Amino acid sequence: MNIVTNNTKILRFSSWKSIFPFQASAIRLHEMCWMRSDEKYSCSAQNINRLLFTYTIDGSGLLKYGGKEYRLDRGTAIIIDMRKPFKLQSNGANWHFFWLQMSSSLAYDLLPHIENDCGNVIMACSDIIPVCDRIFNLSTQVWSSRTDLEISSLLYHLMGLLLATALPDQRLEQVILYIHDHYSEKICLEDLSEIACMSKYYFTRVFRRETGMTPLQYVIRHRISIAQEMLTSSRQPISEIAVAVGFEDASYFSETFKKTTGYLPKEYRGIVATGS
């Protein structure tokens, strides 16, 4: 691979020679590396008969692959075919990430399913890190057929985790959890589509198909739902409730509340209080 860097620090590195006889049915590990890079790090290659898996622990990187550019933020993973041209580079200072290279016909058979269902950039689950730690620890041991087989099994498990955690419904679950945690803040379509690792147009289409509403309609519906609870459980001023659920303008909040519930906030509070 062609690497350009200035102050990149290799935190740990290992290589592994897989030699067990049933290679066609197993995924083979070649190399693993944990790195902390500076803003000048870049890595490019092609025509290498391996798959590259990368996970961002902290900071941000960029991937250029298949004529597109992808942002690699904290918690995202990529898996790509190194036979095709690609370029990895840091997106600012202090990109902390790790990568591993693997191969076999089985790995290549799984890749199209991951790409079709998940895309190349995946919002990965936290289970991936301990699995990769285990693979690394095994790869530093003296070779044995048992260890070779265990590494292959863990690599297969890793690819299964990518499929299981990055299917569209799983990515939408991440988005919905984000909305529920950040409804009081400014939320835009671009932020949500980045969390889902989809283009905003495809993301909107998938979200509407799965929920029956657009992402921003869902945000508003959730904010109004929280506002209803606050109106009935407290005497907090309506203007403060509006801000607390993410509306900067109290008038717009009242208008949206009535459009959603059929009542103005003050009317809703009175109706619930009197039970009528």
Side-chain angles (χ1 to χ4, degrees):
M1 294 193 295
N2 299 317
I3 299 176
V4 177
T5 185
N6 185 19
N7 293 314
T8 293
K9 183 177 182 180
I10 295 177
L11 305 176
R12 47 181 172 156
F13 175 85
S14 69
S15 61
W16 183 257
K17 288 281 187 181
S18 180
I19 59 175
F20 54 76
F22 42 100
Q23 295 174 3
S25 61
I27 302 178
R28 303 175 65 192
L29 175 68
H30 295 278
E31 295 178 342
M32 294 188 75
C33 187
W34 268 252
M35 306 181 71
R36 192 182 295 276
S37 74
D38 68 359
E39 68 276 8
K40 295 183 179 179
Y41 174 84
S42 70
C43 169
S44 60
Q46 63 179 337
N47 300 322
I48 299 177
N49 192 26
R50 298 177 182 178
L51 298 180
L52 178 69
F53 168 81
T54 299
Y55 180 87
T56 295
I57 300 170
D58 204 4
S60 180
L62 296 173
L63 166 68
K64 295 180 180 179
Y65 178 73
K68 297 180 180 179
E69 183 172 284
Y70 304 91
R71 178 167 167 157
L72 311 177
D73 290 320
R74 179 180 180 180
T76 58
I78 64 164
I79 183 164
I80 57 174
D81 186 344
M82 296 178 70
R83 295 173 297 185
K84 302 176 183 178
F86 73 90
K87 183 176 183 179
L88 279 174
Q89 63 187 71
S90 53
N91 185 30
N94 201 23
W95 181 27
H96 186 194
F97 65 103
F98 65 82
W99 56 259
L100 64 82
Q101 297 177 20
M102 56 185 158
S103 67
S104 86
S105 58
L106 179 59
Y108 284 116
D109 287 343
L110 288 173
L111 182 60
H113 297 287
I114 294 174
E115 289 180 331
N116 291 337
D117 289 336
C118 314
N120 293 111
V121 180
I122 302 162
M123 182 60 66
C125 71
S126 58
D127 292 344
I128 280 174
I129 294 178
V131 170
C132 289
D133 279 332
R134 177 62 178 159
I135 294 171
F136 179 84
N137 292 335
L138 288 169
S139 71
T140 61
Q141 298 179 11
V142 176
W143 184 91
S144 71
S145 58
R146 181 187 182 91
T147 303
D148 211 1
L149 183 58
E150 187 172 355
I151 287 174
S152 178
S153 175
L154 286 168
L155 288 171
Y156 188 87
H157 180 51
L158 172 64
M159 298 190 77
L161 283 173
L162 295 179
L163 276 170
T165 62
L167 291 170
D169 59 333
Q170 295 290 336
R171 284 187 275 177
L172 292 187
E173 182 178 336
Q174 292 292 327
V175 170
I176 288 172
L177 287 174
Y178 178 86
I179 292 170
H180 287 192
D181 287 340
H182 299 271
Y183 63 85
S184 63
E185 305 168 16
K186 183 178 180 180
I187 298 176
C188 63
L189 182 60
E190 288 76 11
D191 294 334
L192 299 180
S193 62
E194 281 190 15
I195 292 168
C197 298
M198 304 176 187
S199 75
K200 61 182 180 181
Y201 305 107
Y202 179 64
F203 166 65
T204 300
R205 201 160 59 241
V206 171
F207 195 98
R208 186 195 289 270
R209 184 187 69 207
E210 297 297 322
T211 67
M213 63 187 82
T214 69
L216 295 184
Q217 285 173 339
Y218 185 92
V219 171
I220 290 173
R221 185 70 61 87
H222 183 69
R223 285 171 169 167
I224 297 301
S225 176
I226 298 297
Q228 287 176 287
E229 294 180 15
M230 296 178 71
L231 285 166
T232 58
S233 63
S234 75
R235 301 309 301 170
Q236 192 171 354
I238 291 171
S239 59
E240 292 183 7
I241 291 176
V243 173
V245 297
F247 288 88
E248 296 180 357
D249 183 86
S251 297
Y252 179 62
F253 165 68
S254 295
E255 177 186 332
T256 305
F257 191 95
K258 183 170 184 178
K259 188 181 295 184
T260 305
T261 67
Y263 301 97
L264 290 169
K266 185 177 181 179
E267 294 172 338
Y268 183 85
R269 174 177 270 168
I271 290 170
V272 173
T274 59
S276 58

